Amino acid sequence: MHPARAWRGRSQRYRLEGEICEGCGARLFPPRDVCPECQRPARAPYPFSGRGEVYSYTVVYEPPAGYEEQAPYIVALIKLEEGPLVSAMLTDVEPEEVYIGMPVEMVTRVLHRQGEHGVIAYGYKFRPILRRMVTIPSPTATVTAGAE
């Protein structure tokens, strides 16, 4: 990837930042100069929460060059809480565990490496929302709760 292009896209890849339309309020990802809904300017940055659910997915067994070490891997369409669909790899989950509607959250991970001594490209992937142990102020009670 060309360094200038990588630098311009860092907000999208590391913070899942899109734009919001000044006219109709549509939340856009990836960012665009013009809203596809109302054709008005869409230049105001909008930070997405990074939470959503699996809308659709597939398992890649025959990967393109540069992704061989990750195969098999899962590519999914994620419907973000704010509305847009995002295409991304899933991580920290086996293919047989994935289901439509599964709650997921964005994480920053290695996307690919350019050879043994080349550049390592990082970006967003999604993983199932982790369940955390939450301790209630009682010495004997522990409750498992979904991460928020």
Side-chain angles (χ1 to χ4, degrees):
M1 179 180 289
H2 192 276
R5 183 176 178 195
W7 183 255
R8 283 191 306 269
R10 71 189 183 287
S11 303
Q12 297 166 34
R13 285 194 316 278
Y14 303 135
R15 294 191 307 260
L16 207 64
E17 186 174 276
E19 292 175 332
I20 189 163
C21 176
E22 298 162 5
C24 69
R27 295 173 192 104
L28 311 173
F29 190 86
R32 300 172 185 94
D33 290 334
V34 176
C35 176
E37 302 294 323
C38 70
Q39 287 69 50
R40 296 183 71 187
R43 294 189 185 105
Y46 183 85
F48 286 90
S49 68
R51 290 184 305 272
E53 65 179 39
V54 174
Y55 183 81
S56 183
Y57 69 95
T58 190
V59 179
V60 177
Y61 294 98
E62 298 292 329
Y67 294 88
E68 296 88 354
E69 68 184 45
Q70 297 182 44
Y73 60 88
I74 307 157
V75 176
L77 276 176
I78 307 299
K79 183 160 181 65
L80 297 175
E81 285 181 348
E82 297 86 356
L85 287 172
V86 176
S87 175
M89 286 178 155
L90 295 184
T91 187
D92 302 341
V93 65
E94 296 300 321
E96 60 274 6
E97 298 171 334
V98 179
Y99 59 92
I100 304 298
M102 181 172 74
V104 292
E105 61 188 353
M106 188 211 78
V107 292
T108 301
R109 296 288 172 84
V110 172
L111 296 180
H112 60 86
R113 294 176 173 87
Q114 293 178 349
E116 186 177 328
H117 301 291
V119 174
I120 299 172
Y122 291 88
Y124 61 83
K125 291 184 181 183
F126 285 80
R127 70 174 177 203
I129 291 182
L130 298 178
R131 298 186 64 75
R132 298 183 185 141
M133 294 299 288
V134 177
T135 304
I136 298 175
S138 164
T140 60
T142 301
V143 177
T144 301
E148 296 299 320

